[in-house]
Amino acid sequence: MEIISWQFALFALVVVGVYYALPHRAQNYWLLIASYIFYLTWGWNFALVLLCLTTFNFLWARLLTPDRTRRRLWLWIGIAANVILLSFYKLNETGYMARFGLSTKFLLPIGLAFYTLQAISYLVDVYNKVLPPTAHWADFFLYLSYFPKLLAGPIERARNFLPALAKPRVVTNEKLAKAMALILIGLVRKIVIADVLSQIIILEKAWVGWGANYSTPVLILWLLSFAFSLYNDFAGYTGIVRGVSLLFGIELSANFQQPYLSRNFAEFWNRWHISFSYWLRDYIYFPSSRWLARLTGSQRNALSVVVPPLITMAASGAWHSFNIYTLIWGGLHGLYQIVERVWSLYFPVTPPDQQPRWRQAWGVISVFALTTFAWASFAMGTLRNGGSAFAFWRALSISAHWTAFGWEYLLVFAPISFSIILDMIQNHYRDEVIFLRWNTFARALLFAAACLLVFIVGVGGAPRVFVYQGF
Amino acid sequence: MQTLQLKRPSVSAILSLILSLLILGSLSEMALRAGHATQIFPAPNMGVANPELGIKVARLDALAKAKGKIDCIFIGSSAVDSDIDTQELSRLYQTRTGEEIVCFNFGIAAMPTTAAPVVGKFLIARYHPKILIFGADPSVFSSDFPGGVYDVPWVRYHAGDVTLEGWLIENFYLYRYSVASSDWRNVERIELTSRLERNITPFGFNTYKGNEFEDVTTGWGMAHHQLHPPYFASYRELLSLRSTVTQIVIFELPTQMNFRVKNDPADEKTYAEQFLQPIISDAESRGALFWRTGQLVFSTLPANHFADWLHLNYRGTKVFSGWLGEQLAEAVQQGKLKVR
């Protein structure tokens, strides 16, 4: 059941309707049942994998309480079990397993990459005594299976999510309005920006024979379109599921904060796929930095500066897909962060907010340009028909290709501009639903315009599958 | 504690929303109806993947309005689309009879025979032509014909089968353009549409072929194409559209001589017996005229009049359209067809 479908809308309405009629504890059981029904619509074997993984982690966490011996060993076994399961499916997807005579008939369960990280974070947090292992099996099962975040996150932490489940929830007019606004903005981002961009430039098709058939300006526009389409696709998804979750009175984390307005790479990773970035930071970057600092005795030596960002971003690349190009993408971002870190070690760095406007603008442009450059490799590694990233970058520089160009391609600037304006408004007011503060008529007019826009663009064809559902 | 703790929303908020939707919806509808929409967006596709349908409907609407009548309409697939210059046909007809005839070419690339009855019904209902002429070639009766789908709600609506979607597309421009919205953001589709807009004349002739020539001497042969039963059933359904108002004519589309003679000679016999014979006999038994082009191919349509084995180039189109005009004139003069 796709998130943007009549079936999901009906499903969510029924679940919400029954949910409101139930007492607090029963609501959790009801959400758990609904979540598994939702997952079963994607495949019974997916639900089985989720059930096994959840049961394992629920029981395993009991071995990590302070009163247990060999806690460290149990933790590593627990982490390894989760990583091996995820790696098996990821490797299987690439076809590597077939080379060793292993089966290729196991499809990667949708959302596995997301709920595996949540399970690992739970084990580590229990080990670190951040939270005790939960006594409520239903709450833990719901933590991993909660249907609004099941397919592609946000990657919630047990330390935030489980307490929220333990408390009674309240849905007020304000929450309902915010939920509607998040859903509508999400739909606009997905249907009006991301899907339109991918249709103008035909994201998948462009790969086949692009070197010979597409001029350099078209390749540049293609890359720009990919950058904005990917962002709005994922941000749109997150907005919709956060809105749906808010209907239950459960707040999910924000995953994006206008990342293309970032002025340095540290800021970018605090604004792009935030729940995943923070997971990487807390469970890979910080531990590896601390370990290296202990090993070398300093946080300023070459190893401590170079290794943690590289390991972290390589893990990020591998998490997306076991593919050389996603690793290169991760490596590039690791490199950007290393350069930024080295720079900060030798030159005093002013916080972006205190920099003059021109330097902030230069930072935004530089970060965006380098990020977009790296997206080419990410795209090659994650899209079907992906070609060679190196060949793509080479084709970008062939001056002979600067001639052939259809003006129709400039259409991409309409959704791109829309995305930038929306981001600038949200960024300026530091509020993703700033529109709710407008007066009644302005709000109604905007709501109606957004509905009409989604209708006009959406009725022409089924929306494309969310990109991050494929990871 | 109760989860849902909502206060009653203000009446003004609800009214504002309804009012905004009405205002914006009406303004959009008015803007689209003002006629400027087609200058910005390609013609709406009426729910069909091929933009040619929308363009041909727009051309035919304009012709019917300008002339006040449509005498004959040709339907069929790409061969009809690019082989028949209806202006040349009308010129020859007028030379022979001294009377004007208004004919339109409604051939659409990749239109399968299954779509012919519903498209024919739609054309009769909307334009009341005196003659509906269907171009038959073996490929469109073959099971491997890669046809598009034209049996869509809007066409069905005009063919007399009222559906909600057909009604919405017909009556609400906002919905019509929304249905087609995926087309005006697809660069390849925009390019195709503007090419078709350039190539299709006001009389429906698609001039894209030029004078290219391909000498086809190899291939699968005429007998490769068998009469696929569902397509043949649709052909019979098309023949049944004959009425006191509209007469039906079927004609054999010419195929390149080199292609035919250089293949197995037995192939020609199989073609005549297994393809032509059944469709001729069905046409005649249902009171439709059938025009064969066999001899024409061997006499006045040499191989260099073809763009490929099935499609004529400009030279061939001129000759063939003239020939069709003469056939039409002769049939009218002999009382076999009526255009008044």
Side-chain angles (χ1 to χ4, degrees):
Chain A
M1 194 189 302
E2 292 290 350
I3 297 286
I4 301 185
S5 66
W6 291 113
Q7 293 93 319
F8 182 79
L10 195 66
F11 171 78
L13 272 179
V14 171
V15 177
V16 164
V18 175
Y19 179 86
Y20 289 151
L22 294 172
H24 164 232
R25 288 307 306 174
Q27 285 177 335
N28 290 0
Y29 288 106
W30 170 240
L31 283 179
L32 179 62
I33 292 166
S35 297
Y36 268 87
I37 290 172
F38 172 71
Y39 207 33
L40 279 168
T41 64
W42 287 91
W44 66 267
N45 43 343
F46 292 1
L48 191 64
V49 171
L50 173 64
L51 188 68
C52 292
L53 183 131
T54 312
T55 310
F56 169 79
N57 284 288
F58 178 71
L59 297 174
W60 205 259
R62 288 158 190 257
L63 298 174
L64 307 174
T65 49
D67 55 322
R68 295 277 182 167
T69 54
R70 296 187 173 182
R71 292 173 62 236
R72 198 177 177 79
L73 176 68
W74 298 133
L75 172 69
W76 280 109
I77 292 174
I79 292 172
N82 283 294
V83 172
I84 287 168
L85 181 79
L86 179 60
S87 305
F88 168 78
Y89 279 105
K90 286 272 181 185
L91 273 172
N92 199 38
E93 205 184 24
T94 60
Y96 290 138
M97 305 296 264
R99 294 183 194 172
F100 304 105
L102 292 169
S103 173
T104 55
K105 65 185 175 188
F106 296 102
L107 274 178
L108 174 72
I110 191 163
L112 177 69
F114 292 88
Y115 58 74
T116 304
L117 295 191
Q118 294 176 99
I120 291 172
S121 77
Y122 174 68
L123 294 182
V124 176
D125 286 356
V126 170
Y127 174 82
N128 286 335
K129 301 170 203 166
V130 175
L131 79 165
T134 179
H136 294 288
W137 68 270
D139 286 6
F140 182 74
F141 276 60
L142 181 57
Y143 163 55
L144 290 191
S145 67
Y146 183 47
F147 77 90
K149 67 172 181 64
L150 181 59
L151 303 185
I155 298 163
E156 294 294 334
R157 301 294 176 83
R159 68 182 87 148
N160 303 324
F161 198 83
L162 291 175
L165 290 183
K167 284 186 290 191
R169 272 84 61 177
V170 173
V171 176
T172 57
N173 284 46
E174 290 70 32
K175 274 193 180 169
L176 196 62
K178 187 179 176 186
M180 291 301 167
L182 284 172
I183 292 171
L184 198 56
I185 294 170
L187 285 172
V188 167
R189 282 198 183 275
K190 168 64 178 162
I191 293 173
V192 181
I193 301 175
D195 282 2
V196 167
L197 270 175
S198 67
Q199 281 170 347
I200 291 174
I201 210 84
I202 315 175
L203 285 179
E204 286 87 354
K205 197 176 172 183
W207 297 118
V208 185
W210 50 260
N213 298 330
Y214 294 88
S215 65
T216 303
V218 172
L219 292 179
I220 291 171
L221 290 183
W222 190 96
L223 204 50
L224 277 177
S225 302
F226 179 82
F228 279 95
S229 178
L230 182 72
Y231 162 48
N232 284 285
D233 185 279
F234 199 15
Y237 162 84
T238 310
I240 294 166
V241 298
R242 285 179 63 216
V244 170
S245 182
L246 210 51
L247 295 176
F248 300 107
I250 298 173
E251 286 217 38
L252 295 179
S253 322
N255 241 352
F256 294 91
Q257 278 178 6
Q258 307 85 43
Y260 291 148
L261 298 178
S262 306
R263 294 153 293 188
N264 57 49
F265 283 99
E267 194 180 14
F268 178 81
W269 286 108
N270 283 328
R271 288 166 162 241
W272 177 276
H273 200 177
I274 300 166
S275 62
F276 180 52
S277 300
Y278 284 4
W279 190 97
L280 289 171
R281 182 195 66 185
D282 293 348
Y283 299 105
I284 298 183
Y285 185 87
F286 283 166
S288 61
S289 294
R290 281 196 295 265
W291 181 75
L292 278 166
R294 275 201 303 272
L295 196 72
T296 59
S298 164
Q299 286 191 329
R300 290 171 70 98
N301 66 67
L303 266 183
S304 300
V305 170
V306 170
V307 174
L310 275 185
I311 291 179
T312 308
M313 294 319 295
S316 173
W319 177 84
H320 284 91
S321 175
F322 276 170
N323 186 296
I324 184 68
Y325 292 119
T326 48
L327 286 176
I328 291 173
W329 168 79
L332 276 171
H333 272 284
L335 193 68
Y336 298 158
Q337 288 184 36
I338 291 165
V339 171
E340 207 165 77
R341 174 101 171 93
V342 170
W343 183 272
S344 71
L345 289 176
Y346 294 97
F347 300 96
V349 176
T350 320
D353 285 335
Q354 293 166 23
Q355 290 172 355
R357 284 281 171 98
W358 70 267
R359 266 193 68 185
Q360 290 190 38
W362 172 246
V364 169
I365 292 167
S366 312
V367 170
F368 178 73
L370 289 169
T371 304
T372 304
F373 177 79
W375 281 137
S377 193
F378 182 89
M380 300 297 174
T382 55
L383 283 181
R384 234 180 285 166
N385 303 329
S388 154
F390 298 111
F392 184 88
W393 286 321
R394 197 170 54 241
L396 276 177
S397 63
I398 300 172
S399 56
H401 277 275
W402 276 97
T403 46
F405 178 68
W407 293 106
E408 297 91 347
Y409 286 102
L410 294 180
L411 274 175
V412 298
F413 284 112
I416 287 176
S417 309
F418 191 13
S419 172
I420 293 171
I421 291 167
L422 185 57
D423 273 5
M424 287 176 84
I425 294 171
Q426 290 179 324
N427 189 59
H428 181 75
Y429 292 99
R430 301 263 193 263
D431 185 355
E432 58 188 332
V433 286
I434 171 67
F435 318 103
L436 290 179
R437 286 196 253 151
W438 293 4
N439 70 46
T440 306
F441 189 72
R443 246 184 310 162
L445 200 64
L446 190 75
F447 191 84
C451 286
L452 211 59
L453 208 54
V454 168
F455 170 78
I456 290 171
V457 181
V459 84
R464 285 158 37 91
V465 172
F466 288 105
V467 176
Y468 265 72
Q469 277 182 200
F471 297 140
Chain B
M1 185 167 64
Q2 201 182 348
T3 303
L4 202 56
Q5 295 181 9
L6 297 182
K7 287 174 279 180
R8 215 176 68 180
S10 72
V11 179
S12 67
I14 295 170
L15 280 178
S16 297
L17 182 63
I18 294 169
L19 198 66
S20 301
L21 276 170
L22 282 175
I23 290 171
L24 289 176
S26 308
L27 283 175
S28 310
E29 181 73 14
M30 279 158 62
L32 290 169
R33 281 183 183 271
H36 300 301
T38 48
Q39 292 166 12
I40 303 166
F41 307 118
N45 68 1
M46 320 298 190
V48 180
N50 189 339
E52 205 172 355
L53 179 76
I55 296 170
K56 290 235 168 169
V57 168
R59 294 278 195 281
L60 189 46
D61 279 349
L63 187 67
K65 197 175 169 190
K67 299 284 184 183
K69 62 164 188 173
I70 298 292
D71 295 317
C72 71
I73 299 178
F74 285 83
I75 60 168
S77 65
S78 61
V80 170
D81 189 29
S82 65
D83 284 9
I84 300 159
D85 180 352
T86 27
Q87 273 173 295
E88 177 67 10
L89 178 149
S90 303
R91 193 181 65 77
L92 260 292
Y93 178 89
Q94 196 163 10
T95 309
R96 282 283 297 267
T97 62
E99 289 179 359
E100 189 198 26
I101 190 166
V102 181
C103 286
F104 188 85
N105 182 338
F106 206 85
I108 294 173
M111 190 176 88
T113 307
T114 41
V118 72
V119 172
K121 212 170 161 188
F122 152 68
L123 291 169
I124 291 169
R126 191 172 170 101
Y127 305 103
H128 317 294
K130 300 286 181 300
I131 311 163
L132 190 68
I133 308 176
F134 177 71
D137 72 77
S139 74
V140 296
F141 282 91
S142 180
S143 60
D144 57 4
F145 183 76
V149 179
Y150 295 92
D151 186 1
V152 292
W154 185 79
V155 173
R156 281 215 159 272
Y157 175 79
H158 279 277
D161 181 8
V162 178
T163 60
L164 176 66
E165 195 177 358
W167 184 81
L168 284 171
I169 292 175
E170 174 61 19
N171 294 295
F172 289 95
Y173 277 38
L174 189 59
Y175 188 77
R176 182 185 290 191
Y177 276 91
S178 300
V179 167
S181 66
S182 60
D183 301 331
W184 48 256
R185 55 180 184 258
N186 178 332
V187 170
E188 290 185 0
R189 170 83 179 213
I190 294 169
E191 285 169 352
L192 170 65
T193 307
S194 56
R195 200 164 57 241
L196 286 169
E197 291 272 11
R198 278 196 309 273
N199 290 345
I200 296 172
T201 69
F203 292 85
F205 170 44
N206 191 344
T207 62
Y208 74 101
K209 282 296 177 192
N211 255 337
E212 57 194 78
F213 162 58
E214 186 190 350
D215 188 2
V216 185
T217 54
T218 56
W220 45 82
M222 298 295 278
H224 165 80
H225 300 289
Q226 302 289 318
L227 281 178
H228 187 46
Y231 286 10
F232 194 51
S234 297
Y235 170 71
R236 285 178 167 160
E237 212 183 315
L238 174 77
L239 291 170
S240 71
L241 296 179
R242 178 171 171 264
S243 67
T244 49
V245 179
T246 306
Q247 304 141 91
I248 307 289
V249 175
I250 312 294
F251 70 96
E252 177 196 9
L253 278 156
T255 41
Q256 197 186 109
M257 184 177 67
N258 288 3
F259 174 77
R260 286 167 69 159
V261 295
K262 286 184 183 172
N263 277 288
D264 183 3
D267 195 53
E268 189 70 19
K269 190 164 172 273
T270 313
Y271 167 67
E273 286 175 358
Q274 293 187 6
F275 174 73
L276 278 181
Q277 193 49 45
I279 65 168
I280 292 174
S281 119
D282 258 68
E284 287 176 349
S285 68
R286 283 170 169 78
L289 281 185
F290 193 97
W291 296 335
R292 280 208 63 179
T293 57
Q295 286 312 305
L296 187 73
V297 170
F298 293 97
S299 57
T300 49
L301 280 176
N304 68 359
H305 281 46
F306 282 82
D308 53 47
W309 76 277
L310 179 63
H311 301 88
L312 295 165
N313 58 25
Y314 278 176
R315 276 192 295 269
T317 299
K318 196 170 166 60
V319 173
F320 184 56
S321 304
W323 180 82
L324 280 172
E326 286 178 351
Q327 291 292 114
L328 199 57
E330 195 178 307
V332 170
Q333 284 169 340
Q334 290 174 357
K336 291 178 184 170
L337 288 175
K338 289 188 181 118
V339 287
R340 292 287 171 268

